[in-house]
Amino acid sequence: MLIAFNKPYGVLTQFTDQSMPPRPTLAAFGLPKDVYAAGRLDIDSEGLLLLSDDGARIAQISSPKFKWPKTYLVQVEGVADESHLAQLRAGVVLNDGPTQPATARLLEKAPDWLWPRDPPVRFRKSVPESWLELTIKEGRNRQVRRMCAAVGLPCLRLVRISVGPHRLDGLAPGQWRSEAG
């Protein structure tokens, strides 16, 4: 079984939380029993999370050796330009080593289908923002956020829209569906 889930902002990518008070987890969304997340999506990130009851499938999806592309919409602080994109496309050096090259493109604005974040991203009239679409084939901890920061574009919002052949396509935050393959 493979499940595509649109993880809302502020939800942990696990089914339990020992902190007090407990934070929201995947347990609140009526997901099938015995599925586990194939990879991570930080509490402050949103979007597509794949879950499965098949350990081999989870390993294939989440292991960097299989190089499943992961695509994100990224709202950044600042005016992104071709020099920023060129750096991301070449790979950037992070404190844990250089990244592989990313696919990066500038978007004119957020896509019309994108839901508002709850809580909203802070808005400052004096600080411009840009939207990028970024695809990576690694999966280091907070990699997209760190890559954007390394090129001078701090991340304000991060929404994963695809993992390999699987896409968010019409799932509202908190909704899930069974996937083929």
Side-chain angles (χ1 to χ4, degrees):
M1 168 184 349
L2 184 64
I3 301 294
F5 174 64
N6 186 346
K7 185 191 90 62
Y9 177 86
V11 172
L12 289 174
T13 306
Q14 56 196 45
F15 286 88
T16 60
D17 182 34
Q18 302 302 318
S19 59
M20 284 298 164
R23 297 166 292 182
T25 68
L26 299 175
F29 297 95
L31 291 157
K33 287 194 172 290
D34 300 323
V35 296
Y36 298 93
R40 310 179 295 274
L41 198 54
D42 297 328
I43 193 168
D44 52 354
S45 298
E46 311 162 71
L48 183 62
L49 179 67
L50 298 177
L51 300 103
S52 180
D53 60 353
D54 180 340
R57 181 180 280 171
I58 290 171
Q60 182 185 38
I61 294 167
S62 57
S63 172
K65 79 177 184 180
F66 292 101
K67 299 188 184 320
W68 276 48
K70 294 171 265 322
T71 301
Y72 300 84
L73 294 178
V74 190
Q75 182 183 16
V76 295
E77 189 175 277
V79 177
D81 61 26
E82 191 54 43
S83 69
H84 296 110
L85 298 176
Q87 291 176 72
L88 294 166
R89 290 174 186 142
V92 297
V93 177
L94 303 176
N95 61 358
D96 57 350
T99 67
Q100 293 177 7
T103 302
R105 72 182 182 105
L106 184 60
L107 304 176
E108 289 183 27
K109 61 182 178 102
D112 293 337
W113 56 262
L114 185 62
W115 59 90
R117 195 181 83 175
D118 183 24
V121 173
R122 72 182 186 276
F123 176 74
R124 297 184 298 173
K125 279 198 257 187
S126 62
V127 180
E129 60 189 41
S130 303
W131 282 90
L132 308 175
E133 184 179 280
L134 194 63
T135 301
I136 61 171
K137 289 187 178 177
E138 297 173 283
R140 298 188 214 175
N141 189 34
R142 300 179 72 82
Q143 181 176 342
V144 171
R145 291 179 187 281
R146 295 188 300 139
M147 288 175 72
C148 290
V151 301
L153 298 170
C155 183
L156 299 172
R157 185 175 182 192
L158 186 62
V159 180
R160 184 160 57 199
I161 59 172
S162 71
V163 177
H166 304 281
R167 298 194 53 82
L168 200 52
D169 287 345
L171 280 178
Q175 290 184 333
W176 59 272
R177 67 173 173 256
S178 293
E179 292 276 294

